[in-house]
Amino acid sequence: MIINKKKLRSLTRIFAKKSYRLVMFPGDKALTLHKITTFFHNAKMKRLALFVSQFSRFLTGIEIEPGAIVSEKTIFSHGMGAVIGFSSIIGDNVIIRHGVTLGAGKIRPLDDRRIHPKIESFCSIGAGAVILGPITIGHHSVIGANSVVTKDVAPYSVVAGVPAKFIRSVENPQKMPWAF
């Protein structure tokens, strides 16, 4: 078998980049461990899933409970102290900063039994924000730092404050303050 040196070098570089991210970035580590947690959770091994989840929390400072649906494209920017509840749903390209809580508010019976928030794609959640209850944060929305959100947020919105209030619409999502 002949090994092509160029392909070997490119594969080595790809592996080095991925392993570097896994070792150096706690968000990537938490998402990788969450995949393992999800496997055990779906296999009805709840205690093992909880153990891996708590180990991930100890290792990274990011708590993602078993059962949460988190996209692989989620970005934890300085994720220390982030808490993601077990029925949370997080879409693609969501930026979650440190101290963010996606938790249960007033528990009320729902048909789909979801008691945690759903975050749609391309959202940014500021540091220390608290999003409570079975609400939906629309795509391309921005949640300000230290905001407390207890009601649905429309797509292309900027909200901030305690309780969170609508500030303005995002007119041009391509010019948002981050790049995907």
Side-chain angles (χ1 to χ4, degrees):
M1 179 176 186
I2 299 172
I3 298 173
N4 185 344
K5 288 184 180 181
K6 286 184 180 179
K7 283 186 180 179
L8 185 62
R9 278 190 206 126
S10 92
L11 287 174
T12 306
R13 285 187 188 126
I14 290 169
F15 178 74
K17 285 179 183 176
K18 290 190 181 233
S19 61
Y20 174 78
R21 288 191 60 81
L22 190 61
V23 170
M24 298 304 291
F25 294 103
D28 291 349
K29 209 177 303 179
L31 289 173
T32 302
L33 288 168
H34 180 65
K35 285 182 190 176
I36 297 167
T37 300
T38 301
F39 171 78
F40 289 134
H41 181 76
N42 292 340
K44 306 286 188 232
M45 296 186 228
K46 307 288 186 191
R47 288 188 183 190
L48 192 54
L50 196 58
F51 175 78
V52 174
S53 173
Q54 291 302 307
F55 176 72
S56 173
R57 182 179 137 220
F58 170 77
L59 207 60
T60 64
I62 300 168
E63 181 175 357
I64 307 173
E65 293 182 356
I69 300 170
V70 182
S71 169
E72 291 180 18
K73 296 179 182 178
T74 301
I75 300 166
F76 287 95
S77 176
H78 307 286
M80 180 61 85
V83 178
I84 313 297
F86 70 87
S87 66
S88 296
I89 301 170
I90 301 175
D92 291 339
N93 299 315
V94 173
I95 297 176
I96 299 175
R97 292 181 175 77
H98 62 279
V100 169
T101 300
L102 303 181
K106 294 180 181 176
I107 299 176
R108 57 182 177 183
L110 293 174
D111 294 335
D112 59 358
R113 300 175 53 128
R114 187 170 62 91
I115 61 171
H116 292 92
K118 175 182 180 182
I119 313 295
E120 293 180 351
S121 299
F122 297 100
C123 291
S124 176
I125 304 172
V130 178
I131 303 173
L132 299 173
I135 62 174
T136 300
I137 307 298
H139 57 88
H140 291 89
S141 293
V142 179
I143 309 297
N146 293 317
S147 298
V148 177
V149 184
T150 56
K151 296 179 182 171
D152 288 345
V153 175
Y156 300 100
S157 298
V158 177
V159 297
V162 181
K165 293 181 181 134
F166 176 80
I167 304 295
R168 64 181 173 90
S169 291
V170 177
E171 291 86 20
N172 189 354
Q174 283 76 26
K175 292 187 178 181
M176 291 178 95
W178 61 86
F180 290 109

